Amino acid sequence: MPPPLTLYIHIPWCVQKCLYCDFNSYTKPNLIPETRFINALLQDLEQDLALATTSQILTSIFIGGGTPSLLSGDGIWRLLTGIQALLPYNNSTEITLEANPGTADSERFLAYKASGVNRLSLGIQSFDSKQLRTLGRIHSRTEIYQAYVHAKEAGLSNVNLDLMFGLPGQTPRSAVLDLVQAVELRPEHISWYQLTIEPNTPLYQKVGSLSLPGETIMLAIQRQGQYYLATQGFKQYEVSAYAYGTYRCFHNLNYWQFGDYIGIGPGAHGKFMDLDGNVRRIAKLSNPWDYLTRLENNLSVTKSQILSDQDIFVEFLFNALRLKEGFSLGLFEARTGLSKDYLVTKLLPAQSRGLVSLDGEQVQATSKGYQLLNQLLLILL
Ligand code: SF4
């Protein structure tokens, strides 16, 4: 049986660059060339479909960025209708759109919902106004609440909140306070992840003056935050992902379970089986203007590479060990085409150090292994 197939769509523009951002995003032009860009995305999809084996219905579509909520309701409708004509999806397909609270309005959210979007991911990052300014976010604390109300009023009943920890001057108490305010909104999902400051960002220039939490405080933040979320019914199922009840994110789950995915848009990545049965990694041209121009001239925007068995082994473990519950040997064989005996042998050194367990068919990082995930991966690879 082919693995589940998902689609990622990258919208590269933002109102302005956040100070910590090293994603493939660009300050938006005065007028986003929405129609041209959506045509280009659909053409990009057609080019991928000429390479891929796609007999499956799409399990999920994720419109990420950048700031997809800069696109109009009509634009999202045209995009999703165009996709439906090329690659079928149905009512059970999870369709997520990322929104910045600074670009949220009720009319737009209603139009997204009417177009088929059924999950909203709000990038709020913190409820602390001072932290929002430090991070260079465009929105205020008040706009977070307004965006959340707009989402629920529009009938978007499945909402994720993206929240960071490890912010300058943060203590376990202030980090948990952020979580308390998130939980009070009763979202269906919380992505709680650590701020990383990359060298090519403006925040990196200020790193010396930021008083970032040290290792001990960071561990206490994580421990107390995880404990708090668990008491509120948010179950951690991946390093940064917490689901209320059954509201896991299918789209991200598919990455972690090494399913197939197509990625369209500037800088998007994909991984799927090609028509010759090879597993291919695909990367799209990053610059949005070059991307547009090339597609408008019927030129390819794709770089592709066939993955070796070793690449597949590494990528599978890199993703699947992030899952709290781990993975089964059956899933390993189905998704990699490699023998489980090979994996079982490779697990032995990590098992003897108490970093990973093999219980029947289930492979799982132990609590110690989960804390030392990078070290565990190095041993396995
Ligand atoms: S909104 Fe997201 S993608 Fe855009 S600049 Fe900020 S962090 Fe980067």
Side-chain angles (χ1 to χ4, degrees), residues 14 16-18 20-21 23 25 65-67 100 137:
C14 292
Q16 67 180 38
K17 260 317 237 187
C18 300
Y20 61 91
C21 179
F23 304 139
S25 66
T67 305
N100 185 314
R137 300 290 299 176

Side-chain angles (χ1 to χ4, degrees), residues 1-45:
M1 206 168 80
L5 178 69
T6 62
L7 173 66
Y8 174 76
I9 304 163
H10 192 74
I11 311 298
W13 290 291
C14 292
V15 172
Q16 67 180 38
K17 260 317 237 187
C18 300
L19 298 176
Y20 61 91
C21 179
D22 80 327
F23 304 139
N24 188 42
S25 66
Y26 303 80
T27 301
K28 73 176 187 65
N30 283 339
L31 198 62
I32 291 178
E34 190 172 282
T35 305
R36 284 173 62 200
F37 186 65
I38 289 167
N39 289 343
L41 287 171
L42 295 173
Q43 205 178 331
D44 183 2
L45 178 57

Side-chain angles (χ1 to χ4, degrees), residues 143-197:
E143 283 169 317
I144 294 174
Y145 289 102
Q146 286 167 347
Y148 193 83
V149 169
H150 290 330
K152 290 290 172 172
E153 281 178 356
L156 291 159
S157 54
N158 187 355
V159 176
N160 167 61
L161 299 179
D162 270 353
L163 201 62
M164 282 184 186
F165 67 89
L167 303 178
Q170 206 170 39
T171 60
R173 192 168 176 279
S174 57
V176 172
L177 185 61
D178 255 352
L179 285 175
V180 169
Q181 293 169 91
V183 166
E184 274 171 359
L185 291 173
R186 303 309 311 170
E188 282 65 35
H189 193 281
I190 294 178
S191 299
W192 190 51
Y193 61 99
Q194 187 177 337
L195 168 69
T196 48
I197 303 184

